[in-house]
């Protein structure tokens, strides 16, 4: 039973354009959402997060949007750069929980 | 730089031969986690420590054990590795439950 779903296994975007990575969740107890970026042969790196009390959080080129009613979040990367090519994981915590539930990831390829 | 270090990066073991993976952290975080990740799958939590308190996930096989002798170090012992245990093993830390988790580079385990 996948509680965090990333329905697009892969995405290709031209350099300089916007990358939009999507994530859906089913557990209404989730209240803190995180995005991780993973290069091959490396561990995931924390990228950006958002609390359920917000609907947007921005950090440089990265913006995460949260739509609680739709149980949907998205990560926007503008402008996309070749170095952004990686697998992106969406993850979520339930309130007071130690367990971080991950999606299966979306592989982003930014084409020069 | 504060970080999470895993050794070795690559480990080859024979079917049934015990193996130990190690993790150390300089972040002084309270919580340490071990995950198993197989190709194209989400990381799967095996267990975690809050300080010295050990917490085992219900579906973690008995074949997997862990030790945390002090705040900085954590070990994953696989008593009798099977072919199905070949995976990337990720160590992560967080300051507290519900905080961002910081991952090490992982150990790629091959079972022959």
């Amino acid at each position: 039973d996948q509680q965090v779903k990333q329905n697009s296994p892969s995405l290709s975007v031209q350099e300089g354009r916007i990358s939009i990575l999507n994530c859906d969740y089913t557990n209404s107890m989730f209240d803190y959402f995180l995005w991780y970026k993973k290069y091959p042969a490396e561990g995931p790196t924390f990228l950006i997060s958002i609390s359920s009390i917000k609907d947007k959080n921005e950090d440089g080129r990265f913006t995460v949007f949260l739509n609680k009613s739709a149980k949907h979040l998205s990560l926007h990367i503008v402008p996309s750069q070749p170095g952004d090519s990686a697998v992106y994981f969406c993850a979520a915590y339930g309130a007071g929980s130690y367990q971080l539930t991950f999606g299966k990831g979306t592989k982003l390829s930014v084409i020069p | 730089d504060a970080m999470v270090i895993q050794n070795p990066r690559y480990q080859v073991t024979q079917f049934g031969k015990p193996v130990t993976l190690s993790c150390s952290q300089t972040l002084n975080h309270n919580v340490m986690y071990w995950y198993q990740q197989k190709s194209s799958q989400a990381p799967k939590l095996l267990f975690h420590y809050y300080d010295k308190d050990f917490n085992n996930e219900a579906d973690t096989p008995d074949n997997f054990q862990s030790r945390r002798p002090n705040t900085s170090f954590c070990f994953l012992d696989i008593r009798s590795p099977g072919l199905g245990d070949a995976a990337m093993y990720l160590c992560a830390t967080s300051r507290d439950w519900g905080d961002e988790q910081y991952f090490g580079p992982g150990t790629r385990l091959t079972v022959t």
Side-chain angles (χ1 to χ4, degrees):
Chain A
D1 174 31
Q2 253 192 290
Q3 298 185 64
V4 177
K5 298 177 187 178
Q6 295 179 255
N7 291 319
S8 299
S10 63
L11 175 69
S12 287
V13 170
Q14 288 284 105
E15 180 179 3
R17 307 292 287 266
I18 184 171
S19 296
I20 300 176
L21 296 105
N22 293 304
C23 177
D24 297 294
Y25 62 95
T26 58
N27 189 338
S28 57
M29 298 301 291
F30 287 151
D31 71 345
Y32 187 50
F33 303 89
L34 303 91
W35 283 94
Y36 283 84
K37 173 179 175 178
K38 185 180 183 302
Y39 292 119
E42 293 185 16
T45 302
F46 170 68
L47 198 55
I48 192 169
S49 63
I50 188 166
S51 163
S52 61
I53 62 172
K54 294 186 174 183
D55 54 18
K56 177 182 173 181
N57 188 28
E58 196 170 349
D59 183 3
R61 296 187 297 115
F62 302 91
T63 303
V64 56
F65 295 92
L66 176 62
N67 181 334
K68 285 191 294 292
S69 60
K71 293 193 176 70
H72 177 84
L73 63 156
S74 60
L75 174 68
H76 292 212
I77 306 173
V78 183
S80 301
Q81 300 173 354
D84 297 328
S85 298
V87 177
Y88 289 78
F89 289 94
C90 173
Y93 273 119
S97 173
Y98 63 86
Q99 186 159 32
L100 189 57
T101 302
F102 285 87
K104 288 188 175 183
T106 296
K107 183 177 181 181
L108 173 66
S109 301
V110 180
I111 303 159
Chain B
D1 281 343
M3 55 200 310
V4 181
I5 301 160
Q6 289 187 246
N7 284 303
R9 293 292 308 275
Y10 301 91
Q11 175 74 58
V12 180
T13 191
Q14 291 178 332
F15 183 94
K17 186 173 180 183
V19 67
T20 295
L21 311 181
S22 75
C23 176
S24 63
Q25 56 133 340
T26 61
L27 296 160
N28 204 31
H29 283 172
N30 291 311
V31 194
M32 293 187 80
Y33 309 81
W34 279 105
Y35 288 88
Q36 179 192 65
Q37 187 178 25
K38 297 187 177 180
S39 240
S40 305
Q41 294 186 20
K44 177 181 181 295
L45 183 65
L46 297 173
F47 21 61
H48 77 281
Y49 281 90
Y50 193 108
D51 196 10
K52 290 222 167 180
D53 290 335
F54 175 72
N55 297 271
N56 198 33
E57 293 304 294
D59 58 353
T60 298
D62 293 339
N63 199 24
F64 291 81
Q65 312 260 305
S66 184
R67 298 168 280 137
R68 188 179 184 185
N70 55 51
T71 305
S72 302
F73 285 87
C74 197
F75 300 96
L76 170 61
D77 301 307
I78 308 176
R79 291 193 296 187
S80 182
L83 297 178
D85 296 327
M88 173 74 85
Y89 289 88
L90 295 164
C91 174
T93 73
S94 66
R95 188 172 47 87
D96 205 336
W97 283 357
D99 285 339
E100 298 84 25
Q101 293 186 20
Y102 293 87
F103 285 82
T107 295
R108 168 72 64 189
L109 178 68
T110 301
V111 182
T112 60

